[in-house]
């Protein structure tokens, strides 16, 4: 079970990264990831799990004779992608992490583009209707859909951190973001449709910190972190001199970018003053015809991880799925107990509480609590 051990390591790294970031001590972890060249490894693993979800998981759900004792081993594989993208989101803030990705940064850009395309194509409310009672395959599919949405939001943050380093990115990475994938126009779509926000029964709901919550009327114009990520990525891609030199400001792209002017209200600019520069740029773009990009002769690199995995396993997906059903996803009772012990150690209660965004509160008075009931281990109190 080498893969399960590897997942445990990734999960522990992810938890350590979150706790280190919350105390401002993540420098050691980033140095280790750079020193041991683990960022390309994580990106390769991320894309492998993404392909597994697209090619193997649907086959597993279709198999009529596959009735596992527990679906948790499959859930762990689905969750693996979320763990890796969360870890990358935490550490990609640092320039040296972005640089240490080397050629695999192209694969990560493609990955982020795929996720943002899915995000832009979501329905307005960001939710899907499901049956009242879910059988295991449907339940897993629903969990996968929910997780896909959250993973896409993490990919948005990772992409924004990549755009922070446009000056030090290889030329191929810039070309891929600006011209191959036309990320500025895709980001405009996200500004327009805002898939992490919806109005239901007259109330505005926004997705933050992993949950949908109702926004009070006085906070409806308040910029969320996700809104900020989109605007910062647009600032990086449109206002950088190198990006302006390479981007094709043709009729379509120009008309799409000018849609942003309707969203640049005084209230928004007050919350992110850097957007004043965006307003000036768009006003200038509206009345001028930008010069065509220079057609330099460039030997462009292409991402290889996605294509390599697809070519290597072409025509084998059903056989791989059946092999995994037999060898991986049908554990004996003893193996399940062993895995449960391992997962209990990885996802310990104390660790989960340390990662929780909200501090525990006293059951009686509601203030922040430090003492937990020794019997039920669920309720908290501020005094004995």
């Amino acid at each position: 079970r080498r893969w399960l051990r590897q997942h445990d390591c990734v999960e522990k790294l992810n938890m350590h990264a979150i706790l280190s970031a919350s105390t401002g001590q993540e420098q050691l972890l980033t140095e280790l990831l750079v020193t041991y060249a683990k960022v390309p490894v994580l990106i390769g693993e991320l894309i492998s799990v993404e392909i597994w979800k697209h090619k193997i998981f649907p086959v597993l759900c279709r198999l009529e004779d596959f009735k596992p004792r527990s679906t948790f081993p499959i859930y762990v594989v689905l969750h693996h992608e979320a763990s890796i993208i969360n870890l990358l989101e935490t550490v990609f803030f640092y320039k040296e992490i972005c640089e240490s990705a080397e050629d695999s940064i192209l694969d990560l850009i493609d990955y982020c583009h795929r996720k943002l395309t899915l995000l832009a194509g979501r329905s307005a409310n960001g939710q899907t209707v499901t049956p009242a009672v879910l059988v295991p395959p449907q339940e897993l599919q629903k969990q996968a859909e929910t997780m896909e949405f959250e993973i896409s939001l993490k990919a948005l943050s990772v992409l924004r951190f990549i755009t922070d380093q446009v000056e030090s990115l290889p030329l191929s990475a810039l070309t891929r973001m600006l011209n191959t994938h036309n990320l500025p126009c895709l980001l405009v779509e996200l500004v327009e449709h805002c898939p992490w926000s919806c109005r239901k029964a007259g109330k505005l709901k926004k997705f933050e910190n992993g949950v949908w919550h109702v926004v009070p009327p006085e906070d409806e114009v308040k910029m969320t972190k996700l809104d900020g990520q989109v605007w910062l990525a647009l600032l990086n891609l449109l206002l950088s001199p190198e990006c302006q030199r390479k981007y094709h400001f043709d009729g379509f792209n120009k008309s799409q970018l000018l849609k942003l002017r309707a969203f640049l209200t005084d209230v928004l600019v007050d919350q992110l003053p850097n957007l004043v520069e965006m307003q000036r740029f768009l006003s200038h773009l509206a009345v001028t015809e930008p010069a065509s990009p220079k057609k330099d002769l460039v030997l462009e690199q292409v991402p290889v991880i996605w294509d390599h995995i697809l070519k290597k396993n072409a025509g084998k997906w059903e056989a791989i799925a059946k092999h995994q059903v037999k060898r991986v996803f049908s554990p004996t009772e003893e193996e399940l107990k062993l895995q449960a012990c391992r997962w209990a150690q990885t996802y310990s209660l104390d660790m989960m509480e340390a990662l929780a965004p909200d501090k525990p509160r006293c059951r009686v008075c509601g203030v922040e609590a430090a003492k937990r009931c020794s019997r039920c281990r669920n309720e908290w109190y501020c005094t004995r």
Side-chain angles (χ1 to χ4, degrees):
R1 304 304 185 201
R2 286 178 299 173
W3 187 88
L4 286 172
R5 284 198 297 272
Q6 184 168 310
H7 170 73
D8 287 345
C9 291
V10 169
E11 199 61 45
K12 288 172 184 174
L13 265 179
N14 182 33
M15 292 178 183
H16 179 72
I18 294 170
L19 292 174
S20 299
S22 65
T23 57
Q25 298 176 338
E26 65 270 38
Q27 195 63 38
L28 176 61
L29 177 61
T30 58
E31 285 175 5
L32 288 171
L33 288 172
V34 171
T35 303
Y36 291 99
K38 292 300 179 184
V39 176
V41 175
L42 287 169
I43 294 171
E45 187 74 6
L46 182 70
I47 293 168
S48 297
V49 182
E50 183 193 16
I51 291 174
W52 183 91
K53 279 172 62 175
H54 283 294
K55 298 291 186 180
I56 306 294
F57 180 57
V59 177
L60 292 179
C61 293
R62 287 197 305 268
L63 291 176
E64 293 180 4
D65 58 340
F66 179 46
K67 295 176 182 176
R69 241 188 225 95
S70 168
T71 57
F72 197 68
I74 301 176
Y75 177 81
V76 168
V77 182
L78 294 170
H79 183 68
H80 192 59
E81 183 183 8
S83 298
I84 298 173
I85 194 67
N86 199 77
L87 174 58
L88 293 178
E89 181 195 26
T90 307
V91 299
F92 252 78
F93 175 78
Y94 293 94
K95 181 180 179 180
E96 54 267 33
I97 289 287
C98 194
E99 291 174 345
S100 72
E102 297 178 340
D103 293 346
S104 63
I105 195 73
L106 298 172
D107 292 278
L108 186 57
I109 288 169
D110 276 21
Y111 173 87
C112 292
H113 172 258
R114 288 191 293 271
K115 296 299 177 185
L116 296 197
T117 303
L118 287 173
L119 202 54
R122 282 180 66 92
S123 58
N125 64 0
Q127 295 166 318
T128 53
V129 178
T130 53
V133 180
L134 296 172
V135 294
Q138 289 177 318
E139 188 181 350
L140 277 172
Q141 286 172 311
K142 174 59 181 170
Q143 288 171 340
E145 284 174 20
T146 304
M147 218 180 291
E148 189 70 46
F149 178 61
E150 296 182 31
I151 287 168
S152 298
L153 298 180
K154 299 285 183 187
L156 171 60
S157 297
V158 171
L159 180 71
R160 179 245 141 163
F161 291 135
I162 293 173
T163 64
D164 282 346
Q165 313 301 335
V166 287
E167 304 299 332
S168 56
L169 288 174
L171 282 175
S172 297
L174 270 183
T175 303
R176 200 146 193 89
M177 285 195 293
L178 294 171
N179 299 324
T180 306
H181 295 315
N182 200 353
L183 285 178
C185 284
L186 181 55
L187 292 169
V188 171
E189 285 283 312
L190 293 178
V191 171
E192 272 194 293
H193 300 294
C194 197
W196 47 86
S197 173
C198 70
R199 195 168 287 278
K200 208 168 187 180
K203 293 181 179 179
L204 181 67
K205 297 177 79 177
K206 292 189 178 181
F207 189 87
E208 280 189 289
N209 298 322
V211 292
W212 288 94
H213 64 91
V214 177
V215 181
E218 63 272 17
D219 290 338
E220 287 191 4
V221 293
K222 189 177 178 182
M223 181 187 288
T224 65
K225 289 179 184 177
L226 292 164
D227 296 323
Q229 298 286 31
V230 177
W231 284 111
L232 289 170
L234 279 166
L235 281 167
N236 291 333
L237 290 175
L238 295 177
L239 301 189
S240 159
E242 182 61 25
C243 291
Q244 289 182 7
R245 191 181 73 83
K246 291 186 73 69
Y247 189 56
H248 295 286
F249 287 98
D250 56 28
F252 172 77
N253 290 346
K254 182 177 172 179
S255 66
Q256 289 296 106
L257 295 176
L258 290 177
K259 289 180 181 179
L260 293 173
R261 291 194 296 178
F263 299 94
L264 288 168
T265 61
D266 292 340
V267 176
L268 189 73
V269 175
D270 284 344
Q271 295 175 74
L272 189 60
N274 289 1
L275 290 176
V276 171
E277 294 297 320
M278 175 73 79
Q279 281 181 318
R280 289 181 191 144
F281 167 76
L282 293 174
S283 298
H284 180 71
L285 182 65
V287 297
T288 58
E289 199 64 43
S292 300
K294 294 180 181 177
K295 293 184 178 179
D296 300 328
L297 180 62
V298 179
L299 292 174
E300 188 181 340
Q301 290 175 286
V302 292
V304 295
I305 299 174
W306 174 275
D307 287 339
H308 172 72
I309 295 173
L310 288 182
K311 286 176 183 175
K312 185 179 178 183
N313 299 289
K316 302 176 186 175
W317 304 114
E318 194 160 340
I320 293 170
K322 288 178 179 177
H323 174 79
Q324 290 183 351
V325 163
K326 190 177 179 182
R327 299 283 182 178
V328 182
F329 298 127
S330 300
T332 63
E333 198 169 325
E334 284 300 313
E335 287 173 331
L336 271 176
K337 285 179 182 177
L338 210 63
Q339 287 179 15
C341 289
R342 191 184 295 120
W343 289 324
Q345 290 171 356
T346 303
Y347 307 103
S348 66
L349 195 58
D350 292 335
M351 180 65 80
M352 291 296 103
E353 283 164 4
L355 294 173
D358 300 319
K359 297 291 182 185
R361 302 245 166 218
C362 176
R363 188 189 178 193
V364 178
C365 63
V367 301
E368 196 170 302
K371 295 177 171 53
R372 182 164 57 187
C373 175
S374 58
R375 281 188 184 174
C376 70
R377 304 287 291 170
N378 286 326
E379 301 294 349
W380 288 79
Y381 300 94
C382 57
T383 61
R384 287 187 181 276

